[in-house]
Amino acid sequence: MTAALGPGATHAPVINSAGALVWRMRGGSLQVQLVHRPKYDDWSWPKGRLDNGETSQAGAIREVAEETGKPIVLGRPLPGLQYLTPEGRVKHVRYWAARRARKGHDSFALAARSPVAPVNRREIDRAEWLGVDDAADRLTREADRRPLEALAEAYEAGLLGTRTVVIARHGRAYPRSEWHGSERDRPLTPVGHAHAAALVPVLAAYGVEQAVSSRWERCATTIDPYVRAAGLRPSFSEYLTEAQHERSPSRVAATMRDLLAETNESSVLCTHRPVMPTVLDALAQHAPHDVADVLPSRDPFLDPGELLVAHVAPTGTQNGGEPQVVAVEHVAPPLH
């Protein structure tokens, strides 16, 4: 990937990085965690360069764990940064709000993750929790205050603590014209199986603890790698199949409402392209206009293996007692 630096400038390779603003409550006050790098003598957010083929989500949780020694769960996205390194390369950093993973509560998602190297004290020699104002003062780069300001605004609005409801379209399946068995048994192609495997680190990063899927083969197989890695017991539904949705879309809408109202667990729902309009309509009904406007609106809505990650704030007086979708992200399949 390259980036143009301006008229007449040469293109420079982009360094893709990811990290998180890890937050917690202490004594009724919001705190965030900063790290100190002795090589540069600076204070910043835990972050780092993506490995080859690594998603931003997987890179973010790996880097934070390597720099702080603790696993995290990603929450709502925050503004990213792009800047020139001293070597003249463009660095693009994606950030999320994040919380510490909790023993027991996040056990399934943690089980699906790869091992992480211990903290290298030559790279990170200190990590400190600070209040928002103190953190803003401590940050070495002024630009690093931008995601902090967004996190503080979300906190003040009561919309920082979120869960995720991940909508997945099944991986690439064999075309109907090439499959001579029943429609419910039409399987994934080798590329579709690669799509399914690629979902594992992304779902683990968001702390998915519940899997709901159409009973048909191509959906069940799509979530199977994550279900196995996490040790989950999935829930399969005929209502999420193409045939049942055509007869009763209200059943799909009710399933979505139940997932959005869930207060404890993040979830993934895997279904088919013809079911997507009903799923997306349910999300839009629980989202403010600026979020609803960025939901997919044209067929095919999601490509095979693509995810739509909805960040859901809990019920409360500020949103009329209803769960609120406060942000959405598209995660494209890395393979086609």
Side-chain angles (χ1 to χ4, degrees), residues 63-251:
E63 284 291 338
V64 173
E66 288 178 353
E67 296 193 354
T68 69
K70 299 293 183 180
I72 61 165
V73 172
L74 297 184
R76 59 185 298 160
L78 298 172
L81 300 175
Q82 184 164 296
Y83 55 89
L84 278 176
T85 68
E87 299 76 27
R89 300 185 68 183
V90 175
K91 191 167 194 175
H92 178 72
V93 188
R94 292 187 65 184
Y95 284 116
W96 285 265
R99 60 170 175 82
R100 283 272 183 88
R102 295 168 287 187
K103 290 182 180 179
H105 182 82
D106 298 305
S107 59
F108 292 118
L110 293 177
R113 297 182 182 182
S114 300
V116 174
V119 178
N120 183 339
R121 295 301 176 187
R122 288 174 296 181
E123 295 183 5
I124 302 294
D125 61 350
R126 295 170 66 189
E128 290 191 16
W129 290 97
L130 297 168
V132 172
D133 292 340
D134 289 338
D137 291 339
R138 182 77 64 88
L139 287 166
T140 302
R141 285 179 297 276
E142 186 174 351
D144 279 343
R145 296 176 185 172
R146 184 181 173 214
L148 177 60
E149 291 168 355
L151 182 142
E153 288 175 4
Y155 170 72
E156 292 297 332
L159 302 175
L160 180 55
T162 58
R163 297 176 299 102
T164 54
V165 176
V166 182
I167 308 304
R169 182 179 171 190
H170 61 74
R172 188 172 301 281
Y174 283 97
R176 288 179 171 85
S177 60
E178 297 179 13
W179 177 248
H180 304 297
S182 68
E183 181 62 15
R184 68 182 298 123
D185 296 326
R186 184 158 57 93
L188 298 181
T189 66
V191 170
H193 282 282
H195 287 159
L199 298 187
V200 175
V202 178
L203 298 179
Y206 288 114
V208 167
E209 298 274 295
Q210 181 179 195
V212 181
S213 173
S214 159
R215 193 177 292 279
W216 286 6
E217 174 69 19
R218 51 194 181 274
C219 280
T221 305
T222 295
I223 66 166
D224 187 64
Y226 185 72
V227 164
R228 289 177 178 272
L232 285 176
R233 179 175 294 178
S235 174
F236 294 108
S237 173
E238 285 290 344
Y239 299 137
L240 296 173
T241 65
E242 293 182 30
Q244 286 296 325
H245 172 260
E246 188 174 346
R247 297 186 184 99
S248 180
S250 63
R251 299 278 193 175

Side-chain angles (χ1 to χ4, degrees), residues 57 74 163-169 199-213 222-223 226 240 256 259-260 265-271 276 279-280 283 302 305-312 325 327-331:
Q57 292 82 2
L74 297 184
R163 297 176 299 102
T164 54
V165 176
V166 182
I167 308 304
R169 182 179 171 190
L199 298 187
V200 175
V202 178
L203 298 179
Y206 288 114
V208 167
E209 298 274 295
Q210 181 179 195
V212 181
S213 173
T222 295
I223 66 166
Y226 185 72
L240 296 173
M256 279 302 304
L259 290 180
L260 291 171
E265 296 179 337
S266 291
S267 56
V268 59
L269 180 146
C270 187
T271 189
M276 286 297 169
V279 169
L280 296 171
L283 287 177
L302 296 178
E306 187 175 7
L307 303 177
L308 182 74
V309 182
H311 297 272
V312 185
V325 179
V328 294
E329 301 177 78
H330 289 81
V331 182

